Amino acid sequence: MTTLRHFLRLSDYSVEELRSILARAGVLKKQKESGEVYQPFVGKVLAMLFEKASTRTRVSFESGFSQLGGSVIDLNPKDSHLINHETFEDTARVVSRMVDLIMVRTFEQKRLESFASASVVPVINGLTNEWHPCQIMGDLFTFKELRGSVQGCNVAWIGDANNVLYTWLEAADIFDFHINIYAPVGFKIDATRMPSTRCYDFFLTPEDAARGADLVTTDTWTSSGYDTRKEKNRPVSARWQVNEAIMEKAKSDALFMHCLPAHRGEEVTAEVIDGPQSAVWSEAANRLHVQKAIMEFLLCH
Ligand code: CP
Ligand code: NVA
């Protein structure tokens, strides 16, 4: 009997498995670009359950699963019994007996884990408060495509201690690269969630964090589900912005990434996100190919 595998966070996987998924994403991308039809999911169904808003994750999972021959159900909590009285676990028990794969975007990782424990089919993390593994797989794929191996590289994180940062940290631990973190005022790092290897350093200014970096990355001032920390309530001293002066401290060929959605004039200037070093559109587009490889890994292994 094979063990049911989910895709809930990067550290559930070995570096070899993650590398093989990334390599497979490259093959699937070339296949798609050449027009070759590859449909191993004919007759299969993906259910998507979003408890938070999404553009990229929704479209890339739906497009990806459809391109591989399957069909997709987008379960809106407002139109299902979830919003009123049916538990998340009972929803998992029922839905997983009718579909082949489930992608969930929700709040606490524990909520996702309970859902996955009750599911009889693989569950993929489409973002939780704590982790965003599909995003960082897409980012690693994009870095490799544009600059080669990330091993030994320096990634500058300018921003909040959020799901994207912690997933970058997990990736740095697994893939052997370094994260230089700028800690704005009010930034509270959770020491219990830091990797055991010293694959990171903290800096007091964004310029210092960016110095010599191969990649500079940031995220929104306020993550979804943290509405009490609205931008307008954030003290000026706790705001951050990746601008040209910060990019100039990085290597001359450094990339800029942002998981998106972006807020020009807040965490990043238009000059940077729309400038020559920005990789954000490839980064978003590559979610499609990487998630196809993740879904194929879960359904075809
Ligand atoms: N980066 C990302 O996950 O985007 P969405 O919130 O639009 O899915
Ligand atoms: N940190 C952001 C990422 C959005 C893709 C959030 O959780 O809202």
Side-chain angles (χ1 to χ4, degrees):
M1 203 179 98
T2 51
T3 322
L4 181 60
R5 298 274 314 262
H6 303 292
F7 193 81
L8 303 187
R9 54 185 282 193
L10 297 182
S11 59
D12 293 338
Y13 282 74
S14 69
V15 67
E16 292 77 20
E17 286 174 325
L18 295 174
R19 281 208 182 104
S20 81
I21 291 170
L22 292 171
R24 184 64 189 153
V27 173
L28 292 172
K29 180 170 181 174
K30 284 203 180 76
Q31 237 173 28
K32 177 79 182 73
E33 287 172 350
S34 72
E36 188 183 331
V37 176
Y38 169 62
Q39 300 204 312
F41 295 169
V42 170
K44 294 195 187 296
V45 180
L46 165 73
M48 306 194 299
L49 175 49
F50 286 96
E51 295 198 293
K52 295 181 179 183
S54 167
T55 298
R56 279 142 289 273
T57 306
R58 186 187 301 283
V59 176
S60 53
F61 269 102
E62 180 150 357
S63 294
F65 204 80
S66 307
Q67 286 166 16
L68 294 176
S71 50
V72 182
I73 299 171
D74 190 348
L75 257 180
N76 182 343
K78 290 195 200 87
D79 300 332
S80 72
H81 289 289
L82 249 184
I83 199 76
N84 292 319
H85 51 260
E86 192 158 26
T87 69
F88 215 43
E89 293 76 11
D90 283 356
T91 304
R93 287 181 188 106
V94 171
V95 173
S96 70
R97 282 169 170 80
M98 299 174 179
V99 305
D100 302 277
L101 182 64
I102 307 177
M103 193 286 309
V104 178
R105 170 170 287 197
T106 188
F107 295 89
E108 301 79 19
Q109 183 80 6
K110 281 200 182 325
R111 185 165 166 81
L112 175 71
E113 286 166 3
S114 303
F115 186 96
S117 302
S119 171
V120 296
V121 299
V123 174
I124 299 175
N125 182 352
L127 179 146
T128 59
N129 291 352
E130 290 90 351
W131 309 106
H132 198 1
C134 292
Q135 178 68 52
I136 301 307
M137 286 293 277
D139 294 4
L140 293 169
F141 180 88
T142 307
F143 189 87
K144 177 95 191 303
E145 195 172 45
L146 298 175
R147 292 289 183 270
S149 172
V150 75
Q151 190 171 10
C153 287
N154 283 307
V155 173
W157 174 266
I158 314 287
D160 194 11
N162 66 12
N163 42 10
V164 177
L165 169 61
Y166 284 109
T167 315
W168 267 116
L169 284 162
E170 210 164 56
D173 191 32
I174 296 168
F175 288 92
D176 187 24
F177 61 94
H178 204 84
I179 312 275
N180 294 336
I181 303 168
Y182 163 63
V185 173
F187 172 110
K188 286 195 189 70
I189 198 86
D190 180 350
T192 64
R193 296 185 61 206
M194 299 307 277
S196 53
T197 58
R198 188 71 199 190
C199 59
Y200 57 90
D201 278 299
F202 291 106
F203 293 85
L204 294 176
T205 68
E207 288 81 4
D208 285 343
R211 190 161 285 114
D214 300 277
L215 165 66
V216 178
T217 186
T218 187
D219 194 1
T220 176
W221 284 347
T222 308
S223 283
S224 47
Y226 291 90
D227 294 342
T228 50
R229 286 201 253 141
K230 281 275 185 222
E231 286 87 338
K232 60 182 166 45
N233 297 329
R234 187 182 284 279
V236 172
S237 57
R239 297 174 189 182
W240 61 86
Q241 185 178 74
V242 177
N243 52 34
E244 284 176 311
I246 290 176
M247 289 305 294
E248 273 168 22
K249 302 289 182 210
K251 283 189 180 158
S252 56
D253 67 344
L255 295 174
F256 171 76
M257 287 193 196
H258 187 314
C259 62
L260 305 177
H263 310 81
R264 287 172 180 75
E266 293 184 5
E267 75 274 7
V268 62
T269 59
E271 288 72 23
V272 169
I273 196 165
D274 300 320
Q277 287 169 279
S278 175
V280 298
W281 312 124
S282 300
E283 183 188 0
N286 283 332
R287 294 282 302 277
L288 173 72
H289 311 293
V290 165
Q291 289 162 191
K292 281 163 86 170
I294 293 169
M295 295 191 287
E296 190 194 49
F297 182 93
L298 292 172
L299 288 183
C300 303
H301 273 73

